[in-house]
Amino acid sequence: MPRSTLTALPSRRRGAVALLTAAAAAFGLLALTAPAQADSVVQLSAPAGPVPVDAPYTITVDLPNTSPDYASRAPMVNIALTGAAATVTSAQASAWDWSCDFAAGTSGSCWNLAGMRNPVSITLTVIPTAGGTVTAKADAVSISNAVIGTATADTQVENPNPAFPFTGFFAPVRNAPAVNSVNAGRSIPIKFSLDGDKGLDILAAGSPTSRQTACDGTAAEPVETGAATTSGLTYDAATDTYTYVWKTDRAWAGTCRTFHLGLSDGTDHVAHFEFR
């Protein structure tokens, strides 16, 4: 029965796994794995694409674990996604004694619960959220925690919406990597252009957003913010300028944040702020 889990293995259970593995090795129990032909230590398959943005696809990782050389068998595999933005939403192992943790979204691991080097096939469901190339990499890990095999595969993700010709941000906001200094609680006009009127339905769902970030000591430059108090998006045809009025919070004083302007074409444009 396939097993799917996104919870991490507790450290005490990992210790128990290590003890059980050592005992199994001492008494020759690891030899119970049936020998067969193996093409490689780890195998990875993914669609070449193109696949549409936001359309889920599957990646399969196989650990045959049938080599006559036990050092070439793996009780664990680490898997990571790089390149275009994508998230692992589920992981299912073909064997009940394997478990997976992909809480990080873009990376995770699957391991045998008893540290046994048994064959397994792992199916990952991936949702890409931006156009580009998603690279999946799987590292097979030995009983001694050494990488003994690596496999990679690329998937091309196609954005059905052409990217907007974004220019900006305009004054008073300075573009990254500059850090804009502003009084917390003020309203900041976020100005930009998309080379013409693209309508007001240009923001990604839930956008804009901001996230608190570490203040790394980079020199901050002041921003004059005007007196607007209402957040909203407008377009001025005379200047070909979009304006989003960002109402900040007084509680942000003494912190730094990154403003994210996510557009419906899948792009994300950022500006950095330090709040006084």
Side-chain angles (χ1 to χ4, degrees), residues 58-79:
T58 58
I59 294 174
T60 302
V61 179
D62 291 302
L63 297 176
N65 281 339
T66 50
S67 169
D69 178 10
Y70 282 94
S72 297
R73 301 189 188 185
M76 183 175 180
V77 60
N78 297 324
I79 305 163

Side-chain angles (χ1 to χ4, degrees), residues 23-260:
F27 289 94
L29 296 179
L30 296 181
L32 293 175
T33 304
Q37 289 76 34
D39 295 329
S40 63
V41 177
V42 58
Q43 302 156 9
L44 189 153
S45 61
V51 299
V53 167
D54 296 328
Y57 65 91
T58 58
I59 294 174
T60 302
V61 179
D62 291 302
L63 297 176
N65 281 339
T66 50
S67 169
D69 178 10
Y70 282 94
S72 297
R73 301 189 188 185
M76 183 175 180
V77 60
N78 297 324
I79 305 163
L81 304 179
T82 57
T87 302
V88 176
T89 59
S90 69
Q92 289 188 329
S94 62
W96 69 269
D97 56 347
W98 281 78
S99 183
C100 297
D101 174 17
F102 280 86
T106 58
S107 62
S109 301
C110 296
W111 61 90
N112 186 278
L113 294 171
M116 305 292 282
R117 294 170 282 194
N118 295 338
V120 69
S121 180
I122 300 159
T123 302
L124 306 180
T125 300
V126 176
I127 295 183
T129 56
T133 301
V134 178
T135 298
K137 179 183 179 183
D139 288 329
V141 180
S142 71
I143 202 75
S144 60
N145 204 35
V147 175
I148 57 175
T150 297
T152 61
D154 291 337
T155 298
Q156 186 65 34
V157 179
E158 189 173 65
N159 195 327
N161 299 318
F164 292 125
F166 177 90
T167 54
F169 297 104
F170 302 143
V173 174
R174 294 171 176 82
N175 288 282
V179 178
N180 298 278
S181 178
V182 63
N183 290 327
R186 298 297 299 274
S187 295
I188 304 173
I190 307 292
K191 298 182 179 182
F192 58 95
S193 174
L194 300 181
D195 191 22
D197 185 359
K198 303 300 189 295
L200 295 180
D201 190 23
I202 59 168
L203 299 177
S207 176
T209 60
S210 69
R211 299 177 183 175
Q212 185 170 339
T213 54
C215 297
D216 59 6
T218 303
E221 301 178 20
V223 171
E224 297 300 330
T225 62
T229 58
T230 304
S231 297
L233 179 69
T234 59
Y235 175 72
D236 183 353
T239 60
D240 184 24
T241 302
Y242 282 92
T243 301
Y244 181 86
V245 180
W246 180 34
K247 181 65 172 68
T248 65
D249 193 320
R250 291 182 180 180
W252 294 348
T255 69
C256 295
R257 300 185 75 86
T258 295
F259 176 87
H260 290 262

Side-chain angles (χ1 to χ4, degrees), residues 9-28:
L9 189 65
S11 59
R12 286 181 295 178
R13 291 184 64 189
R14 289 186 184 273
V17 166
L19 291 175
L20 181 56
T21 301
F27 289 94

